[in-house]
């Protein structure tokens, strides 16, 4: 039997005595007061005040009814608080009773409980009620997640929006639709076809598919429950919402709440309970259009066939036409944008004023932006950043997004934890402890203690406190163009940013590893530290800490041979200081195949600081040291930082480590980095403006030989070519390539090709021939 048969077959006919006998035999409810309820295809009746008898259409397939019973049992079990009818078993304990109507046709009867309230259809709908209807649709959909029944697929219900093309074709054939007179309706399959097809890839499951105002009950301005699971079928959950939204929008009007206010309310309610992804919202408007069209055309077809039941069949015609006209008046993109705005999934639009407004309230020159034409980025995706004006840019710069932008593992871990608990670190939390244990496991023997912070700066500050307490010293030795942070003291330890003539007391400099590797012996490095310590001593200070970015990035990306790093450690110890490997920038697998650049050199620092990529943008940093060093600080102080090591920070930190491990990104960084540098060296051979190419793994520095202005031109040219890089080094003439580690060889090739193009187009004056 098909659905058409159910619609053709008259509803069961049972006289009052037959009903009474049936109720007595099945449920012991004989003698109750029975009142008929409206139904197009079944016999429904109120029994007393608490029960409804449902005798299904003789043409209805048994498995459809069993499906409905199973769905109701599932929802009752997964969301016991959701008010909906419950199946009342027969006195023999069965959900269904086989019976016959007065004409002798076999049909199935059951009894369900009554849901309090009155149906919303026909009442004046408020914004508050519309919001509750949206929430109810979401809740019902969530309660059905995980439900399965073989009869739920392929039910071929006429009003399933996916059938729009067939319904329109049928209406054109039968003549109830004339394409010349109603081009909008006739053209809908074309207009919404992509959205209908997109549903196949959207979150789907068995849905109620009929949370409409006839099936939602309310009392005293509050939604009380949902009824009628007779249309359940497998579809996209956004298609389920489209049914609800369509029903609500039909109630908008000049004398009622406006259409967009109602739409906003439904979406607000839905999003609060079970947020839709942007891809789902993108098709919602089209699905509502499809639903309106299907409803309109089925009504017309049936009105032509069943002239006796016209009022019922055509009850939505006017409202359908009105809502359809209003939605279809928008362009497809306009409708989509409108839905995104209502659902809160809209991306920010390009805002011409933003730079001026930002400068006005955010310190102007104190907090400059990147690039000649500052970018408004609205979205990230792996190695890509997307701007508000829709450009997809290759990210060759951001190491915070070490695992790629918007990595789902990180996003889910963070949002899950944020929805559960986020508090400070003075409570026991397994995620935090696990992150500390995992970090210790990556460190050389002896580095057994993790102190969490919220930034690289804070980590270096804490390291400084540890070093001064542990050594009794008060001076710092740093590389000549180092950067270590933004607090007062860290700014003094960041000569890269010193203003002219700034010479902080208690700070001495050593040369970063420039020049050929074989000249950069341990003795040379130790000698440089010794000289710096002697300078400190001459001004009355004793070295407490020697610290260096292990990749010497702000020096222009300098490749320190193992001997050089070992010499720095030895020099520090010789001077009675501790050695700090600042891995805030280069750490986390960038230089691969290990997580830490210092580890590649085989040295053991006294302290390691971490930050930037550690939480993929969620603020978290760390100091890792030996317990004995931490114990010295503990004799006189406690350490606590409110936002350091929150459960969410730990979730982010663990997720980043998970992705690095699962996707073997540190190993990949070695191969892709080598490929990148080979390409860059190729450019160096062909372009006079390109000098030495340095780096390890996915950290590369390229000397641009034609001066600072030219370097800026190159950077701006890269942006025009859709590639985001940076400049570093003394004088800002080293092109810095430090991309997310999800780069593949093809991204490196894209970068090299863009740079090649830019260099070909940029005039280079005054470059010495090589
Ligand atoms: N150390 C190094 C080597 C860095 O690169 C940075 C940031 N650029 C910092 C410390 C400071 O980190 P944050 O900005 O998180 O304070």
């Amino acid at each position: 039997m098909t659905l058409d048969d159910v619609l053709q077959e008259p509803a069961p006919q049972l006289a009052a005595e037959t009903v009474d006998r049936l109720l007595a035999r099945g449920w012991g409810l004989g003698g109750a007061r029975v009142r008929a309820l409206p139904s197009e295809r079944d016999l429904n009746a109120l029994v007393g005040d608490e029960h409804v008898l449902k005798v299904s259409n003789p043409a209805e397939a048994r498995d459809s009814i069993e499906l409905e019973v199973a769905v109701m049992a599932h929802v009752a079990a997964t969301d016991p608080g959701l008010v909906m009818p419950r199946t009342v078993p027969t006195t023999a304990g069965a959900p269904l009773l086989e019976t016959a109507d007065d004409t002798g046709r076999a049909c199935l009867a059951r009894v369900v409980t009554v849901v309090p309230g009155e149906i919303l259809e026909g009442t004046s709908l408020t914004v508050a009620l519309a919001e509750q209807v949206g929430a109810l649709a979401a809740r019902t959909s969530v309660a059905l997640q995980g439900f399965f029944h073989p009869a739920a697929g392929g039910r071929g219900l006429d009003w399933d929006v996916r059938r729009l093309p067939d319904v329109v074709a049928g209406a054109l054939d039968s003549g109830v639709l004339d394409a010349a007179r109603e081009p909008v309706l006739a053209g809908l399959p074309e207009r919404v076809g992509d959205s209908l097809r997109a549903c196949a890839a959207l979150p789907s499951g068995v849905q109620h598919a009929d949370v409409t105002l006839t099936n939602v009950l309310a009392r005293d301005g509050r939604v009380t429950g949902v009824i009628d699971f007779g249309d359940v079928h497998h579809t996209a959950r956004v298609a389920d919402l489209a049914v609800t939204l369509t029903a609500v929008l039909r109630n908008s009007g000049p004398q009622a709440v406006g259409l967009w206010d109602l739409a906003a309310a439904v979406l607000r309610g839905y999003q609060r309970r079970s947020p839709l992804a942007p891809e789902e919202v993108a098709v919602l408007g089209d699905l509502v259009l499809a639903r309106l069209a299907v409803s309109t055309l089925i009504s017309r077809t049936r009105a032509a066939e069943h002239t006796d039941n016209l009022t019922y069949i055509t009850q939505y015609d006017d409202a359908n036409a009105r809502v359809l006209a209003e939605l279809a008046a928008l362009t497809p993109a306009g409708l989509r944008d409108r839905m995104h705005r209502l659902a809160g999934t809209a991306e920010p639009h390009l805002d011409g004023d933003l730079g001026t407004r930002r400068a006005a309230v955010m310190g102007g020159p104190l907090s400059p932006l990147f690039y000649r034409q500052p970018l408004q980025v609205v979205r990230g995706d792996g190695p890509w950043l997307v701007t508000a004006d829709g450009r997809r840019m290759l990210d060759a710069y951001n190491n915070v997004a070490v695992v790629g932008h918007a990595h789902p593992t990180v996003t889910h871990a963070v949002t899950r934890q944020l929805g559960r608990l986020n508090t400070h670190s003075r409570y026991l939390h397994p995620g935090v402890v696990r992150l500390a244990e995992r970090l210790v496991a990556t460190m050389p023997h002896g580095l057994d203690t993790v102190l969490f912070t919220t930034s690289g700066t804070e980590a270096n500050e804490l390291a400084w406190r540890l070093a001064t307490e542990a050594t009794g010293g008060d001076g710092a030795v740093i590389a000549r163009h180092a950067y270590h942070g933004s607090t007062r003291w860290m700014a003094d330890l960041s000569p890269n940013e010193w203003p002219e003539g700034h010479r902080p007391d208690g700070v001495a400099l050593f040369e970063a590893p420039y020049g050929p590797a074989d000249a950069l012996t341990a003795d040379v490095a130790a000698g440089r530290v010794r000289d710096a310590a002697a300078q400190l001593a001459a001004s009355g200070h004793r070295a407490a800490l020697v610290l260096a970015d292990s990749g010497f990035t702000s020096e222009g990306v300098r490749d320190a041979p193992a001997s050089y790093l070992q010499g720095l450690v030895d020099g520090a110890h010789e001077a009675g200081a501790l050695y700090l490997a600042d891995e805030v920038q280069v750490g986390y697998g960038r230089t691969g195949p290990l997580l830490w650049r210092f580890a590649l050199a085989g040295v053991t620092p006294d302290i390691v600081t971490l930050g930037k990529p550690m939480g993929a943008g969620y603020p978290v940093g760390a100091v890792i040291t030996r317990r004995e060093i931490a114990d010295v600080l503990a004799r006189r102080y406690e350490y606590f930082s409110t936002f350091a090591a929150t459960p969410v920070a730990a979730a982010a930190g663990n997720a980043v480590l998970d992705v690095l491990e699962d996707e073997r990104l540190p190993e990949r960084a070695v191969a892709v980095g080598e490929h990148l540098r080979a390409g860059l060296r190729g450019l160096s051979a062909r372009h006079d403006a390109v000098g030495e190419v340095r780096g390890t793994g996915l950290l590369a520095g390229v000397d641009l030989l034609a001066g600072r202005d030219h370097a800026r031109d190159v950077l701006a040219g890269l942006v025009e070519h859709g590639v985001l890089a940076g400049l570093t080094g003394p004088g800002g003439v080293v092109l810095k390539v430090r991309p997310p580690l999800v780069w593949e060889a093809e991204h490196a090739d894209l970068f090299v090709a863009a740079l090649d193009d830019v260099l070909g187009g940029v005039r280079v004056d005054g470059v010495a021939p090589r």
Side-chain angles (χ1 to χ4, degrees):
M1 296 271 179
T2 69
L3 196 85
D4 274 348
D5 297 328
V6 178
L7 293 171
Q8 302 294 340
E9 179 80 33
Q13 288 153 38
L14 286 84
E17 312 83 75
T18 325
V19 167
D20 190 63
R21 269 202 312 278
L22 174 65
L23 286 168
R25 173 166 71 95
W27 294 272
L29 289 171
R33 184 167 171 230
V34 175
R35 284 158 291 168
L37 293 169
S39 171
E40 202 187 356
R41 62 190 205 217
D42 303 327
L43 180 144
N44 290 344
L46 193 60
V47 180
D49 292 325
E50 286 169 16
H51 296 113
V52 173
L53 170 71
K54 293 171 85 72
V55 184
S56 299
N57 190 288
E60 188 82 74
R62 185 184 182 106
D63 61 358
S64 295
I65 300 166
E66 283 174 346
L67 164 66
E68 197 176 334
V69 169
V71 157
M72 288 162 61
H74 182 91
V75 175
T78 55
D79 188 352
L82 179 57
V83 179
M84 49 166 282
R86 309 288 167 109
T87 305
V88 179
T90 63
T91 41
L96 297 173
L97 188 66
E98 288 172 17
T99 188
D101 79 347
D102 293 342
T103 67
R105 293 175 301 162
C107 32
L108 288 167
R110 66 206 146 109
V111 166
V112 299
T113 56
V114 161
V115 172
E118 292 76 44
I119 61 168
L120 270 178
E121 189 71 64
T123 66
S124 65
L125 200 57
T126 61
V127 161
L129 275 168
E131 187 169 331
Q132 291 175 50
V133 172
L136 181 68
R139 183 173 177 176
T140 310
S141 181
V142 170
L144 279 166
Q145 278 174 24
F147 176 79
F148 177 76
H149 191 282
R155 294 188 76 197
L157 297 178
D158 266 353
W159 36 87
D160 183 336
V161 290
R162 289 170 294 193
R163 295 205 52 240
L164 176 74
D166 291 346
V167 171
V168 168
L172 287 169
D173 266 359
S174 71
V176 297
L177 174 63
D178 175 350
R181 276 188 34 237
E182 292 180 285
V184 172
L185 203 47
L188 265 190
E190 172 80 23
R191 171 170 170 156
V192 306
D194 285 347
S195 294
L196 295 181
R197 283 184 288 277
C199 283
L202 293 176
S204 299
V206 177
Q207 307 292 338
H208 183 292
D210 202 20
V211 183
T212 54
L213 301 189
T214 25
N215 292 331
V216 175
L217 289 93
R219 178 160 288 168
D220 302 329
R222 296 212 57 82
V223 163
T224 49
V226 60
I227 60 170
D228 191 358
F229 287 72
D231 287 332
V232 290
H233 62 272
H234 186 279
T235 188
R237 65 173 185 150
V238 65
D240 178 57
L241 171 59
V243 171
T244 303
L245 185 55
T246 305
V248 170
L249 295 187
R250 284 188 189 122
N251 277 47
S252 64
Q255 264 79 55
V257 184
L259 184 143
W260 297 113
D261 290 337
L262 285 182
V266 170
L267 280 166
R268 203 161 47 240
Y270 198 96
Q271 292 294 73
R272 211 168 274 159
R273 194 104 205 173
S274 173
L276 297 163
E279 308 80 74
E280 297 177 280
V281 176
V283 302
L284 179 59
D286 284 353
L287 298 185
V288 171
L289 279 175
R291 172 80 178 178
L292 289 164
V294 165
S295 170
T296 301
L297 295 175
I298 290 180
S299 150
R300 265 189 217 171
T301 308
R302 285 165 56 191
E305 291 163 5
H306 304 265
T307 41
D308 51 329
N309 207 0
L310 272 186
T311 326
Y312 181 85
I313 291 173
T314 61
Q315 59 181 323
Y316 300 124
D317 283 11
D318 292 346
N320 280 344
R322 190 168 39 75
V323 177
L324 195 135
E326 191 158 352
L327 296 191
L330 299 179
T331 63
L335 179 58
R336 196 167 52 236
D337 288 353
R338 193 69 165 258
M339 289 299 172
H340 277 308
R341 258 182 289 144
L342 298 181
T345 50
E347 287 187 342
H349 282 278
L350 186 63
D351 183 341
D353 276 355
L354 209 52
T356 321
R357 283 169 48 209
R358 181 185 187 275
V361 291
M362 291 175 64
L366 189 57
S367 41
L369 292 160
F370 275 170
Y371 308 124
R372 277 189 196 146
Q373 296 290 324
L375 296 172
Q376 188 185 336
V377 288
V378 293
R379 187 158 28 99
D381 177 15
W384 304 99
L385 281 173
V386 178
T387 60
D389 52 353
R391 278 179 296 161
R392 205 166 79 119
M393 319 285 289
L394 179 66
D395 187 355
Y397 187 78
N398 284 291
N399 70 333
V400 167
V402 64
V403 296
H405 291 280
H407 195 292
T409 301
V410 180
T411 314
H412 292 150
V414 167
T415 48
R416 234 182 356 254
Q417 186 58 48
L418 202 50
R420 190 178 295 143
L421 171 74
N422 201 22
T423 183
H424 61 81
S425 57
R426 289 211 212 241
Y427 301 105
L428 283 170
H429 193 276
V432 177
V433 177
R434 193 165 108 81
L435 178 57
E437 288 168 348
R438 290 175 83 178
L439 290 172
V440 164
T442 69
M443 291 286 154
H445 184 69
L447 290 171
D448 55 7
T449 300
V450 181
L451 305 170
F452 288 106
T453 68
T454 55
S455 69
T457 301
E458 195 185 4
N460 286 336
E461 282 283 359
L462 179 58
W464 174 254
R465 287 181 69 192
L466 289 167
T468 49
E469 285 292 315
T471 65
D474 61 353
V477 175
I478 52 176
R480 184 167 300 283
H481 297 283
Y483 181 82
H484 291 294
S486 60
T487 50
R488 177 66 226 248
W489 178 234
M490 282 308 131
D492 276 352
L493 298 192
S494 298
N496 190 41
E497 310 245 309
W498 285 352
E500 265 307 302
H502 186 65
R503 290 281 170 277
D505 193 35
V507 180
L509 308 178
F510 70 89
E511 282 310 324
Y514 292 80
D518 52 5
L520 298 167
T521 61
D523 284 348
V524 164
R528 289 179 183 178
V529 174
R530 196 176 307 126
D531 292 347
Q535 272 176 44
L536 284 177
S539 60
H541 294 284
R542 224 179 83 206
L545 191 63
V546 177
L547 62 160
D549 162 8
S550 317
F552 295 93
T553 323
S554 58
E555 310 280 339
V557 184
R558 301 284 153 189
D559 303 318
S563 54
Y564 193 86
L565 287 182
Q566 188 58 56
L568 294 182
V569 178
D570 295 345
H573 293 167
E574 199 187 302
L578 300 182
Y579 182 78
L580 161 62
D582 182 337
E583 295 273 336
V584 169
Q585 181 157 188
V586 285
Y588 272 91
R590 174 156 306 279
T591 53
L594 304 172
L595 282 186
W596 318 117
R597 174 64 177 88
F598 73 80
L600 200 59
V603 305
T604 302
D606 303 298
I607 308 178
V608 179
T609 50
L610 309 178
K612 280 165 125 33
M614 188 171 172
Y618 195 92
V620 57
V623 175
I624 301 169
T625 189
R626 295 193 297 278
R627 178 59 182 263
E628 82 213 36
I629 295 173
D631 280 345
V632 181
L633 191 65
R635 278 186 217 138
R636 302 209 297 147
Y637 297 98
E638 283 181 358
Y639 167 69
F640 171 69
S641 172
T642 303
F643 295 142
T646 61
V648 178
N654 279 310
V656 167
L657 289 176
D658 287 344
V659 178
L660 290 174
E661 283 168 22
D662 292 351
E663 299 182 15
R664 302 176 66 87
L665 295 181
E667 288 91 332
R668 200 156 105 193
V670 176
V672 179
E674 276 315 312
H675 182 77
L676 170 69
R677 267 182 301 280
L680 293 171
R681 292 200 173 105
L683 294 188
S684 157
R686 283 190 288 114
H687 295 278
D688 287 346
V690 178
E692 192 174 65
V693 175
R694 294 178 296 276
T696 313
L698 271 174
L699 172 68
V702 183
D703 283 341
L704 296 176
L705 303 177
R708 191 178 195 122
D709 288 346
H710 169 258
R712 287 180 178 164
D713 288 344
V714 170
L715 193 65
L718 283 172
V719 176
E720 276 168 29
H721 279 71
V723 172
L724 304 178
L727 295 172
T728 188
V733 292
V734 178
L735 187 65
K736 175 162 134 187
V737 193
R738 189 193 53 178
L741 303 188
V742 294
W743 263 31
E744 310 253 12
E746 66 187 276
H747 303 110
D749 292 343
L750 265 176
F751 180 86
V752 171
L755 183 57
D756 195 7
D757 246 32
V758 170
L759 290 165
V762 174
R763 247 189 60 230
V764 183
D765 299 320
V767 180
R770 282 181 298 131

